[in-house]
Amino acid sequence: MKTLTNLALAAALALAPPIQAGEPATAWTSSWYASPHATWGADFPLPTAVPAMLQRQTVRETARISVGGRRVRVVLSNSYGERPMVIGEARIARAGDAAGAVRGPDHALTFGGKRAATIPAGAPLVSDPVDLPVGALEKLTVSVYLPQATPLKTFHWGAQQTGHIADGNVTTAATLKDAQALHGRALLSAILVDAPGGKGVVVALGDSITDGNGSTPDRDRRWPDYLAARLGADGVGVVNAGISGARLLGDRMGVNAAARFGRDVLGQAGVGTVVVLMGINDIGWPQSAFAPDEPPMRAERMIAVYRQLIAQARVRGVRIVGGTLLPFEGALNGTPFEGYYTPAKDAVRREVNQWIRESGEFDAVVDFDAVVRDPSRPARMLPRYDSGDHLHPGDAGYEAMAKVVEVGGLP
């Protein structure tokens, strides 16, 4: 195992994307991402918090990109839709200061030269390039009008960024009146930039800790956000492929890690490095309200999946970094999910962490556990880093995690 050097250098080794026929030489780079996953039914203990159906409505979503460029493309997702999704109109603009507002002129998105488009069931929709120079860490809004009844089967739960839904086609409106708040992602899944001279992309693959649960909403304070703030100006993209509730082995909140690795990691334009921080839900869910009938997790089952992720990365020449699992003593106590933590479950976490640190099978290791744990009580998070639920860090904890990734070497 090599000691973790600056991820900007690792990302610089990314393969350039292919040149499309009829296009000038480009350097399309993934600058922002939200992993699409399927909605779930009322039998699951968490609500989706998004509408079941959209019709004759505009959805406006805001995203802070990581690396800048001279042109942009937008990707919309119908990955888990059961029927085609009709897009009446879509536009992109720079985000304004007020919630859901835009500033300056907006730009029509086209798809094969046309403003309207249909996304087949199970597919993404990639826009044509838009001449919109953008800077690192700039906030953009994407507004999409859905003219027909559209069941929302694909979404991203817990976005930590408020979107808006308004009646009618108001894609060109500078502000949205009487809009409904959207606490998740409904359509937007990626923003790519044409960034000549870019140095590749770091993908953060994980669960709710990577997705930023416990951070301040609408302030871009997830750990990949802090990492992007450090690397974006240097031409390194950072994209967040976290899904709350994601597991190495389970499919309920997003498909299992090996199943989504191709799309969420290897499918990112310019990917050079992936940081994997996933597994705490595999340990915590069994015999809690999330998965009451599942048997306790064993470390060897998790290690087998890590090895598959490593194999997928190696085949494609992508550097893979293992992140140790955070301490979680007392996690979700006093909630309907009591039992998420037990001392026996923590023993599994420690066994997995020992393998991540000592096996030498990852290209490098980031010891997130060592960064956030309480030295006097290593099974729990330091109070100053704890969001309060003893599972997710708060803003300060996420910032500390990003710092150790950026500086490289192990603590």
Side-chain angles (χ1 to χ4, degrees):
M1 179 188 70
K2 300 177 182 178
T3 301
L4 181 60
T5 55
N6 193 305
L7 287 180
L9 178 61
L13 302 178
L15 298 175
I19 298 173
Q20 302 298 316
E23 264 192 25
T26 58
W28 289 107
T29 298
S30 294
S31 187
W32 177 89
Y33 186 66
S35 300
H37 58 97
T39 56
W40 50 76
D43 59 324
F44 192 65
L46 293 174
T48 63
V50 297
M53 179 79 70
L54 298 169
Q55 182 174 14
R56 294 192 295 273
Q57 291 171 301
T58 296
V59 178
R60 178 169 290 177
E61 302 183 56
T62 300
R64 192 190 76 171
I65 61 174
S66 56
V67 67
R70 60 190 181 184
R71 298 186 297 167
V72 299
R73 288 182 186 263
V74 166
V75 183
L76 307 178
S77 179
N78 190 25
S79 294
Y80 298 93
E82 298 170 354
R83 67 190 198 190
M85 177 185 293
V86 175
I87 305 298
E89 185 174 8
R91 306 186 75 87
I92 188 169
R94 303 180 198 277
D97 294 332
V102 304
R103 63 181 175 86
D106 62 0
H107 302 261
L109 293 173
T110 59
F111 308 91
K114 298 180 179 179
R115 293 195 180 188
T118 299
I119 315 177
L125 180 69
V126 183
S127 78
D128 300 329
V130 177
D131 291 326
L132 176 63
V134 292
L137 307 182
E138 189 159 4
K139 283 193 173 185
L140 304 175
T141 65
V142 175
S143 304
V144 180
Y145 175 59
L146 300 171
Q148 299 183 6
T150 306
L152 197 57
K153 297 293 186 180
T154 305
F155 83 135
H156 181 90
W157 193 80
Q160 304 301 311
Q161 177 69 54
T162 306
H164 297 84
I165 301 171
D167 292 338
N169 184 354
V170 289
T171 54
T172 61
T175 59
L176 299 181
K177 297 180 179 179
D178 302 319
Q180 170 188 348
L182 173 66
H183 299 292
R185 299 283 177 189
L187 304 167
L188 180 64
S189 67
I191 299 175
L192 297 88
V193 300
D194 184 3
K199 299 176 182 177
V201 172
V202 178
V203 178
L205 180 71
D207 49 41
S208 58
I209 294 171
T210 296
D211 213 17
N213 286 25
S215 66
T216 303
D218 302 317
R219 299 294 297 274
D220 302 301
R221 291 182 175 177
R222 316 159 189 85
W223 77 258
D225 295 329
Y226 284 110
L227 184 63
R230 295 175 180 276
L231 301 184
D234 293 329
V236 180
V238 177
V239 297
N240 190 330
I243 295 177
S244 294
R247 293 184 285 171
L248 296 169
L249 289 152
D251 289 337
R252 197 62 190 268
M253 295 178 76
V255 296
N256 66 80
R260 71 183 182 96
F261 197 81
R263 180 193 64 196
D264 288 353
V265 177
L266 303 179
Q268 300 299 327
V271 60
T273 298
V274 56
V275 181
V276 178
L277 175 58
M278 190 184 301
I280 200 66
N281 289 319
D282 294 83
I283 297 169
W285 274 33
Q287 302 181 341
S288 77
F290 285 113
D293 299 325
E294 288 188 9
M297 181 53 60
R298 302 190 315 274
E300 57 265 30
R301 294 185 64 207
M302 297 172 62
I303 290 168
V305 180
Y306 290 131
R307 285 176 168 147
Q308 278 299 304
L309 302 185
I310 292 167
Q312 289 193 46
R314 295 268 167 75
V315 166
R316 293 288 295 274
V318 172
R319 192 164 188 256
I320 184 166
V321 178
T324 54
L325 304 180
L326 275 57
F328 71 128
E329 182 181 69
L332 308 183
N333 282 355
T335 76
F337 306 104
E338 192 88 26
Y340 185 97
Y341 171 86
T342 67
K345 290 179 177 181
D346 191 58
V348 177
R349 180 189 69 90
R350 288 185 279 110
E351 184 178 353
V352 169
N353 279 352
Q354 182 178 2
W355 179 85
I356 292 171
R357 292 185 184 106
E358 299 177 4
S359 70
E361 297 195 33
F362 285 102
D363 293 317
V365 170
V366 178
D367 202 342
F368 292 124
D369 172 42
V371 172
V372 303
R373 72 187 178 211
D374 187 338
S376 66
R377 195 167 166 182
R380 74 174 182 181
M381 206 179 307
L382 272 169
R384 72 172 179 271
Y385 290 154
D386 194 337
S387 67
D389 67 4
H390 311 309
L391 177 62
H392 303 98
D395 295 351
Y398 287 129
E399 184 174 19
M401 291 170 64
K403 283 181 179 178
V404 80
V405 175
E406 198 275 336
V407 298
L410 302 178

